[in-house]
Amino acid sequence: MAGEEPSESDLRDAVNHAADAVEFVDHIESDTQPQEVYDEYSVVARIDESRIVGDIDRLLVTPDAFHIIDYKTNELSATTSDELAEHYRPQMLAYALLQHDWNRDVRASLRFTDEGIEERFHWVSDQMTEMESELRSMVDLVD
């Protein structure tokens, strides 16, 4: 509850989530050998009258791809990581489209730190136009 001090269990959970995130990023970075790395990378885009704003938890840039990493602390007891990945798909799609170099693929990883599970999305550079149409239709539903 708001205003309450965290319990020992809360603190232990936070440390475990952070440890999982660090281990996951270390593994991804060793596999990708990024040229550039950004933490809390802010992105803003306009689609017609709508504005999309977000922060990518970790962005890795390689010669052929952007790798977006987003940490999620959702408890997975009430739903599956597949269902949550589908829920977060518009967010990942927006982040993917906000990378301005459409000559690179985009890989997005949702890391569910509660269970240490990763859900991935992968878009190749020639899919960007259809991705933009998909995101535009999602924005139209909200407006």
Side-chain angles (χ1 to χ4, degrees):
M1 291 189 171
E4 290 184 15
E5 290 294 317
S7 68
E8 286 295 321
S9 176
D10 294 336
L11 293 173
R12 194 171 32 259
D13 287 347
V15 167
N16 289 339
H17 285 273
D20 179 78
V22 168
E23 183 179 326
F24 178 72
V25 166
D26 287 348
H27 175 74
I28 295 290
E29 287 184 6
S30 70
D31 285 350
T32 60
Q33 300 298 309
Q35 295 174 311
E36 299 172 56
V37 176
Y38 302 94
D39 288 317
E40 296 300 319
Y41 187 76
S42 295
V43 291
V44 179
R46 289 196 178 278
I47 294 183
D48 300 325
E49 299 299 316
S50 298
R51 191 171 77 140
I52 299 171
V53 178
D55 291 309
I56 298 172
D57 291 335
R58 188 130 172 126
L59 176 64
L60 311 176
V61 182
T62 66
D64 64 332
F66 293 101
H67 194 123
I68 297 164
I69 299 173
D70 200 58
Y71 310 114
K72 300 298 181 190
T73 58
N74 301 67
E75 185 180 320
L76 297 177
S77 63
T79 188
T80 67
S81 61
D82 287 343
E83 291 168 333
L84 283 172
E86 199 53 38
H87 170 78
Y88 289 116
R89 178 180 163 71
Q91 177 187 8
M92 295 299 99
L93 186 60
Y95 288 172
L97 286 168
L98 293 173
Q99 306 318 306
H100 297 291
D101 179 355
W102 286 14
N103 295 315
R104 298 180 201 212
D105 291 356
V106 178
R107 296 177 184 99
S109 294
L110 291 171
R111 181 60 174 194
F112 294 97
T113 59
D114 185 48
E115 297 290 331
I117 295 173
E118 176 190 16
E119 293 290 341
R120 287 188 177 192
F121 300 96
H122 183 187
W123 295 283
V124 295
S125 58
D126 63 0
Q127 290 178 293
M128 296 301 167
T129 302
E130 72 184 59
M131 291 166 57
E132 187 174 27
S133 291
E134 181 181 349
L135 186 61
R136 188 174 300 279
S137 67
M138 290 177 192
V139 167
D140 288 344
L141 289 174
V142 175
D143 286 345

